[in-house]
Structures are given as C-alpha cells and as structure tokens.
C-alpha cells in the first residue's frame, strides 16, 4: 500500500500540467478538513510477535487545518496541523488496555493535474512532525518524531475563491513502541474546504472603439433639361439633345462611371394627365440611356426609369400662373437626371 501511494504521487508530479482548480500562482490559500482516521500495522511493546492477543479499535474521527502557497499553476507547498484521532487496545486474556492518540504538524509538496476547468487530482509528499501519546493502565507517556507522509486527492473549484477537496493521507509508523508501548501507521480520509486569497480577476473584455462604417459617397448627378433635349411632347432626341449627351459622355465625371451603377431618370411637369406624364418621362429617360450606350457606355451598368411629375424642383413657385407663362415657369421640372452610384 505504501509503495503504491508513493508511486502514484511521483507519477502525478511528473505528468502534471496546468491545474485549473488550483489557486493562482503566487497566492496563498487556507482550509480545514474533517473525516475518519484509521490505525493499522500496529505494534505493542507487550507482544510484538503476538498481536492476536489484543483487540484493536482502530477507527476514530480526525481532521485538521492547512495553509499553502501556490508556486506554479500545478505545484504548491502546503503545511498544517492534523489531529489523527486515537486507537483503543484491549487485551483478550484480561490483559491491560491501552489508548494511543496522535497529532502532528506537516509540510509537503502538492502537485496537481487538471482534468477540467474546475476539477483536478493531486498528490502530496512530505513529512510530519508528530506527537504520539499512550495511556497504559493509567501511565501516560508521550513521544515525538518525524515520519514521512503521502496523500492523494481530488479538488473542485466552486468559484475563483472557494474549492472543496477529498483526500486520502498516510503517515508511516507513528509512535515508538519501545518508548510509549505502541506504534502504528495512520491513514485518514477527509473532506475539506479551501479559501484562496488574492485570486486574479478574469481579464475584462474591453470593447475597443467600434469603427464607424465608412460613409458612402453621395451619388453624382448630371441634370439635362428636357426642353433642350426633346421637342414639345416628344421622346425623340433633337440634334441639340444628342450633342448634349455626347458632351455628357465625354465629361471627366462620366468616364469613371462606366463600371458603376448608373440610372437615367426622366421627370415631367405637373401639367397634363398623370399617366401620360409618367409614360413620357420614362420614354425620354430610355432615349437618353440608349444614346449613352450607343456612345460606348456599358449597357449592363445603366438603367432607365420615369417618375412623371414626382419630385418637382419648382415647388409652389409657379402657383397662380397659367398658359405659356406657367409652361415656362415649370421648365426646371421637365428634366432628365443621370445618377451615378459611387461604390
């Protein structure tokens, strides 16, 4: 049993990686534990070779307190006080009875291995400075010494400060039978709780400035007057209209637009029927688009639409006028716009 514990501890130490349930490196922790102790391989000075002459009540309560310093994420040094309980010894042939109780201060290295983000297993190896006391027929004697100890356990982190542990510990040959009449190995199974001091807060996620989307450039507009481009109530381009479109096509602002989305939009004034105005504005817009394509503008990048008397630019400035005066006043509404989306 002893060799198995030591082997497990050594293997655990050499295979340890980051132990997530352990305290943060460079911090202290402290805790308490409580459970059961068990005395075994006991020897008495009365009859070391005939222990069958005695009855042993080996089990008792045990516990202790401990503190530790986390050296690395997987290695800590730990010390503490352990109460190892007591053992009752009764002679079978009406022999004298005896009691042995022990306690000690321990120091060990603790190596941990992380299984999950919150759970690890660990092993400890070190030594205990003990005080063993016996009471035989009312004669009380005590003895002190140092003995090796080993422990294996598992630890679970409830949060960054609190964790719980379950541990098996073994201390070798506590007490000297020649001095106090009895000696024994002592094992214990305890459950404990640990508080870790000065744990580092998780690094806050600092939201960087959100880059504002780059502003989309406003569409570029070219405005053509329908009264110059077309005869009255006509969607056929005049000579002057074709010349104006040729001039537009060769405009420095139009040449880069050959790969952009371009829309030709026709408008009419508010005189006449709505349906007729819509149809005429669409026909005039298409005539301008067709002429631009004929000059070399990519047909797949250009479209035409009519909006009739929508979006008048004159507003109510022509109210109260009639006849030719009104027609002349509404001239800015009769237009064809070329809109280029700069994407």
């Amino acid at each position: 049993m002893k060799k198995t514990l030591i082997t497990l501890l050594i293997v655990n130490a050499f295979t340890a990686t980051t132990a997530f349930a352990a305290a943060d490196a460079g911090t202290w922790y402290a805790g308490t534990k409580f459970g059961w102790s068990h005395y075994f391989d006991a020897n008495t000075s009365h009859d070391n070779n005939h222990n069958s002459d005695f009855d042993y009540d080996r089990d008792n309560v045990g516990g202790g307190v401990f503190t530790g310093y986390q050296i690395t994420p997987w290695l800590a040094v730990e010390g503490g006080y352990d109460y190892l309980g007591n053992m009752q010894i009764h002679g079978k042939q009406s022999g004298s009875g005896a009691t042995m109780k022990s306690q000690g201060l321990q120091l060990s290295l603790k190596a941990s291995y992380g299984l999950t983000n919150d759970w690890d297993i660990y092993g400890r190896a070190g030594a205990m400075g003990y005080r063993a006391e016996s009471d035989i027929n009312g004669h009380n004697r005590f003895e002190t010494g140092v003995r090796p100890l080993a422990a294996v356990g598992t630890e679970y982190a409830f949060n960054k400060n609190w964790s719980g542990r379950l541990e098996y510990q073994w201390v070798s040959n506590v007490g000297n039978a020649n001095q106090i009449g009895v000696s024994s190995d002592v094992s214990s199974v305890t459950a404990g709780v640990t508080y870790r001091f000065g744990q580092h807060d998780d690094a806050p996620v600092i939201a960087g400035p959100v880059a504002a989307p780059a502003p989309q450039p406003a569409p570029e507009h070219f405005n053509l007057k329908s009264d110059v481009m077309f005869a009255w109530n006509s969607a056929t381009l005049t000579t002057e209209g074709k010349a104006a479109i040729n001039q537009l096509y060769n405009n420095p602002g139009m040449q880069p637009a050959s790969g952009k989305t371009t829309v030709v939009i026709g408008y009419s004034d508010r005189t006449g029927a709505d349906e007729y105005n819509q149809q005429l504005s669409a026909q005039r817009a298409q005539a301008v688009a067709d002429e631009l394509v004929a000059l070399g503008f990519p047909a797949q990048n250009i479209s035409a639409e009519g909006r009739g008397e929508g979006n008048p630019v004159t507003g109510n400035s022509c109210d109260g006028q009639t006849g030719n005066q009104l027609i002349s006043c509404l001239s800015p509404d009769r237009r064809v716009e070329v809109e280029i989306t700069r994407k």
Side-chain angles (χ1 to χ4, degrees):
M1 182 67 180
K2 301 174 187 177
K3 293 181 179 179
T4 301
L5 286 173
I6 294 173
T7 302
L8 287 172
L9 182 62
I10 293 173
V11 170
N12 188 64
F14 280 95
T15 59
T17 59
T18 300
F20 298 99
D24 289 339
T27 62
W28 291 87
Y29 61 88
T32 184
K33 59 185 179 179
F34 183 80
W36 293 266
S37 65
H38 178 72
Y39 286 75
F40 63 101
D41 288 346
N43 294 303
T44 69
S45 60
H46 293 285
D47 192 352
N48 287 333
N49 297 319
H50 299 88
N51 285 333
S52 59
D53 291 341
F54 298 91
D55 283 330
Y56 295 89
D57 185 2
R58 307 173 186 272
D59 297 315
N60 203 255
V61 295
V65 293
F66 56 89
T67 186
Y69 180 77
Q70 196 73 37
I71 303 170
T72 71
W74 60 270
L75 182 65
V77 58
E78 187 170 301
Y81 164 80
D82 280 11
Y83 174 70
L84 301 176
N86 61 65
M87 174 176 62
Q88 301 290 329
I89 306 171
H90 307 284
K92 292 183 178 179
Q93 307 298 328
S94 299
S96 60
T99 300
M100 175 187 177
K101 60 183 178 181
S102 57
Q103 57 192 313
L105 299 175
Q106 61 162 289
L107 185 66
S108 62
L109 285 175
K110 173 175 175 276
S112 304
Y113 181 87
L115 298 176
T116 69
N117 287 344
D118 301 312
W119 179 34
D120 66 25
I121 57 176
Y122 67 85
R124 292 192 298 110
M128 174 179 286
Y130 71 88
R131 184 184 191 276
E133 182 179 347
S134 68
D135 189 329
I136 303 174
N137 289 332
H139 297 287
N140 186 274
R141 291 176 290 181
F142 74 90
E143 184 261 342
T144 61
V146 178
R147 293 291 185 265
L149 71 82
V152 291
T154 183
E155 191 166 20
Y156 183 82
F158 304 119
N159 52 49
K160 70 176 183 176
N161 292 115
W162 290 97
S163 68
R165 64 165 63 176
L166 183 65
E167 179 183 273
Y168 172 84
Q169 177 181 278
W170 162 77
V171 185
S172 172
N173 198 27
V174 175
N176 187 322
N178 294 326
Q179 295 186 34
I180 64 172
V182 63
S183 68
S184 178
D185 288 0
V186 186
S187 64
S188 59
V189 176
T190 56
V193 62
T194 305
Y195 182 82
R196 290 91 64 87
F197 300 93
Q199 298 303 287
H200 307 141
D201 292 328
D202 294 335
V205 178
I206 301 175
V210 178
Q216 296 295 327
E220 188 170 352
H221 292 269
F222 294 92
N223 193 10
L224 302 172
K225 293 185 65 175
S226 292
D227 289 353
V228 175
M229 308 280 292
F230 304 96
W232 179 254
N233 285 339
S234 172
T236 301
L237 285 167
T238 63
T239 302
E240 293 84 355
K242 291 184 178 182
I245 294 174
N246 184 70
Q247 183 179 359
L248 172 64
Y249 178 76
N250 291 289
N251 187 296
M254 277 293 293
Q255 292 305 309
S258 59
K260 312 296 180 182
T261 301
T262 301
V263 182
V264 181
I265 306 169
Y267 294 94
S268 68
D269 62 27
R270 67 191 189 213
T271 61
D274 292 345
E275 183 178 351
Y276 177 79
N277 288 340
Q278 175 64 34
Q279 180 181 5
L280 181 62
S281 65
Q283 291 173 344
R284 287 179 170 180
Q286 189 62 55
V288 173
D290 291 343
E291 184 66 18
L292 285 171
V293 171
L295 291 171
F297 200 94
Q300 68 272 18
N301 293 338
I302 193 168
S303 61
E305 61 182 72
R307 297 185 183 174
E309 59 192 69
N311 275 352
V313 295
T314 57
N316 57 5
S317 60
C318 299
D319 291 353
Q321 301 185 36
T322 58
N324 290 333
Q325 186 180 16
L326 177 61
I327 292 174
S328 177
C329 182
L330 294 176
S331 175
D333 292 339
R334 300 186 294 272
R335 67 197 189 278
V336 176
E337 293 181 355
V338 179
E339 183 178 287
I340 303 169
T341 303
R342 298 293 189 186
K343 293 183 179 179

